[in-house]
Amino acid sequence: KAGVTQTPRYLIKTRGQQVTLSCSPISGHRSVSWYQQTPGQGLQFLFEYFSETQRNKGNFPGRFSGRQFSNSRSEMNVSTLELGDSALYLCASSLVGPATDTQYFGPGTRLTVL
Amino acid sequence: KNEVEQSPQNLTAQEGEFITINCSYSVGISALHWLQQHPGGGIVSLFMLSSGKKKHGRLIATINIQEKHSSLHITASHPRDSAVYICAAALGGAQKLVFGQGTRLTINP
């Protein structure tokens, strides 16, 4: 079974631009969660989707948004990029959700904002 | 105070030693995850616990719901165990994880 894939793996943007990251979950998994990892803040929850519905959102500004498609693939979008958005963005998938079953993580997208 | 606290933040040990990493949380949880992250960023799930104890090879994870505390143990540690270990809790049943700060483990040969 193929693992969780994320594209692109690396991205360089400048302040003010917007970016879209993609996550393809393991086949059959309906829950996709997004996380941001920085050296200063560690891992932080962004949002979680299940069957195209956002069930939970973390404490991030409205510039961070996401969606999930009917095939469970998910995208997250960051608009008006700031230097502090430079981070490793990880997605994880599971059958039902992180409160219920094992999370399978993708390799991450490393975003650098200049 | 963070909702999920891990200790120690850094741990260096010799090959063969018994390792313990601790995780405490402040409110009721529905699940506690232990994750491993190697240099380069990839994260692997080691355990998901809601009660009791789980064992996989040389790794053991325990959780005490009353004391709101979990431990990850590594027996007969090996240099390949060197990584960052992270606990994460699904607090109050919500479908989201709150993470500890991570423990950087270094095992010297």
Side-chain angles (χ1 to χ4, degrees), chain A:
Chain A
K1 210 181 227 186
V4 179
T5 58
Q6 290 187 246
T7 57
R9 293 292 310 278
Y10 302 91
L11 206 48
I12 299 175
K13 293 285 188 179
T14 56
R15 277 181 299 175
Q17 288 187 307
Q18 76 164 24
V19 66
T20 299
L21 312 182
S22 181
C23 174
S24 292
I26 290 172
S27 178
H29 285 189
R30 296 166 68 187
S31 169
V32 174
S33 299
W34 287 91
Y35 305 99
Q36 181 197 65
Q37 186 176 37
T38 60
Q41 299 296 319
L43 273 161
Q44 293 182 282
F45 170 79
L46 279 158
F47 23 67
E48 189 260 353
Y49 287 88
F50 182 83
S51 293
E52 302 180 67
T53 300
Q54 186 183 86
R55 291 194 293 192
N56 284 280
K57 190 176 191 306
N59 295 325
F60 280 82
R63 300 184 297 107
F64 291 81
S65 63
R67 59 179 176 168
Q68 187 180 34
F69 302 95
S70 58
N71 62 358
S72 293
R73 189 178 71 85
S74 179
E75 290 181 347
M76 66 163 282
N77 183 276
V78 188
S79 62
T80 320
L81 284 166
E82 300 178 359
L83 295 178
D85 297 333
S86 294
L88 179 67
Y89 291 87
L90 292 151
C91 76
S93 76
S94 63
L95 288 168
V96 177
T100 315
D101 50 1
T102 297
Q103 296 282 281
Y104 295 87
F105 285 80
T109 294
R110 189 164 296 278
L111 171 66
T112 302
V113 182
L114 302 175

Side-chain angles (χ1 to χ4, degrees), chain A residues 37 45 56 97-101, chain B residues 30 33 37 45 48 95-96 99:
Chain A
Q37 186 176 37
F45 170 79
N56 284 280
T100 315
D101 50 1
Chain B
S30 52
H33 298 253
Q37 186 172 33
S45 177
M48 190 195 74
Q95 293 289 1
K96 67 176 191 178
F99 296 87

